[in-house]
Amino acid sequence: MTDFPRIQDTPLSLDALLVGSERDDCGALAIFAGTVRNHHDGRPVTHLVYTAHAALADKMIRGIEQQIARQHGVPVCRVVHRIGALRIGESAILAVVRAPHRAEAFAALRALVDAVKHRVPIWKEEFYTDGTSAFVTGCCIAEDAEDTGAHPHHEHGHGHQHA
Amino acid sequence: MTDFPRIQDTPLSLDALLVGSERDDCGALAIFAGTVRNHHDGRPVTHLVYTAHAALADKMIRGIEQQIARQHGVPVCRVVHRIGALRIGESAILAVVRAPHRAEAFAALRALVDAVKHRVPIWKEEFYTDGTSAFVTGCCIAEDAEDTGAHPHHEHGHGHQHA
Amino acid sequence: MEVRVQCFGPARRLAGDEWLSVQLDEPATVADALAALASRGDEFAALLKQCAVALGDEIVRRTHPLKSGDVVALLPPVAGG
Amino acid sequence: MEVRVQCFGPARRLAGDEWLSVQLDEPATVADALAALASRGDEFAALLKQCAVALGDEIVRRTHPLKSGDVVALLPPVAGG
């Protein structure tokens, strides 16, 4: 059961993500859920809309799973990302790692989530209580871009804002 | 719902541990499950038996939750530990942290699990395929012990072995 | 020749449309398509400098050649999670 | 005076029993109880040096006084998770 879609437009299920992931040789299961917060940089948020280049995002997430599994020597890495409109508290991303021991499980999980956030073609638009919205400025994923942004590996405030 | 028992003798439920933990101001949920492995130091393991000083362990886990929450500035830290006989794959410990951002969620989760493993009066006896068993040597929790062990903060092989 | 452009994220918002098209002299590269798109305005031009470009499910470099009928995806800086 | 001792983990295994008792001259401390228990054998004595001792749900130091009827818990090095 590793052939589930990595980009999904319905609520994410941790149980579904864990199906068939059990490993008798693993003593550690580490899980991350990124949930929608009600604020960002001090502004109250009502909901988010995620969009993606679904075909490319799916392929890239699978590649990142394999890369992190190899680099960290962990047998199980899985990620799924939600798209569409999400309410406060809903999960935008779920990531799971199983490993023999917890140290490598934690390290792999962090790397997995960071890689998906920084490299996969997904965009987050925040909607505020005042009726405006803005795309969260993100990471340039072009190797040869003319302008990769000031802080390509951290969120840095808001992008193009619209009433 | 923070008054659940931290030491439980029936299978642990992540859903139960998460009940009432939702926070609109948190964007990160990090979870760790320590599951029973089928091997330890190269020896095949059939099952484990955990025992605890339940009253003291329950009190100490609550104290560790509060300490880590304060030190890491995270609003939600919860841990539950199983006792009794556990089969391969069953969860011995579940820990969850919710935080505004993932960096502090991961840091707090690691610290939480480490503290519970190193400081709470719980003992793990491993049973092997050859019919023998051994307590996993652990961490001395007496501040004024005459002998705190060579490696008090790491598991270091097997303790008193019995046929 | 004509190349179709699918805009994602803030590029779609700035373009005002998911789909654009550009007319290019042959031979043309991704860089030529981006240069043609830059005429749509300063803000869009600035965003183009930070965009990756994909053909199908492959990100391609700015030197990648384009042929008539190609569909390129315009991928602004990403922010998943 | 008599003090009861509840053994946990490998201490229970080594003692062969969950419950032990020791007779101590008054006044006595936790250290005196541990010294009396050490007579049960070298392996047990070695483990005692690594044990914490609890009274109720408090871990107490070796200098803590004991009174008749106290029940102390013998807590060997721990290994949860």
Side-chain angles (χ1 to χ4, degrees), chain D residues 39-54:
Chain D
S39 66
R40 297 182 64 87
D42 290 348
E43 201 176 1
F44 199 66
L47 184 62
L48 288 172
K49 292 181 181 176
Q50 302 186 335
C51 281
V53 172

Side-chain angles (χ1 to χ4, degrees), chain C residues 42-66:
Chain C
D42 290 348
E43 200 177 0
F44 198 65
L47 184 60
L48 287 171
K49 291 182 181 175
Q50 301 186 337
C51 281
V53 171
L55 266 167
D57 64 1
E58 293 283 348
I59 291 177
V60 294
R61 301 185 70 87
R62 278 157 165 65
T63 52
H64 194 88
L66 295 176

Side-chain angles (χ1 to χ4, degrees), chain B residues 73-86:
Chain B
V74 300
V76 176
C77 284
R78 295 183 181 180
V79 177
V80 63
H81 201 294
R82 174 92 179 271
I83 55 174
L86 275 73

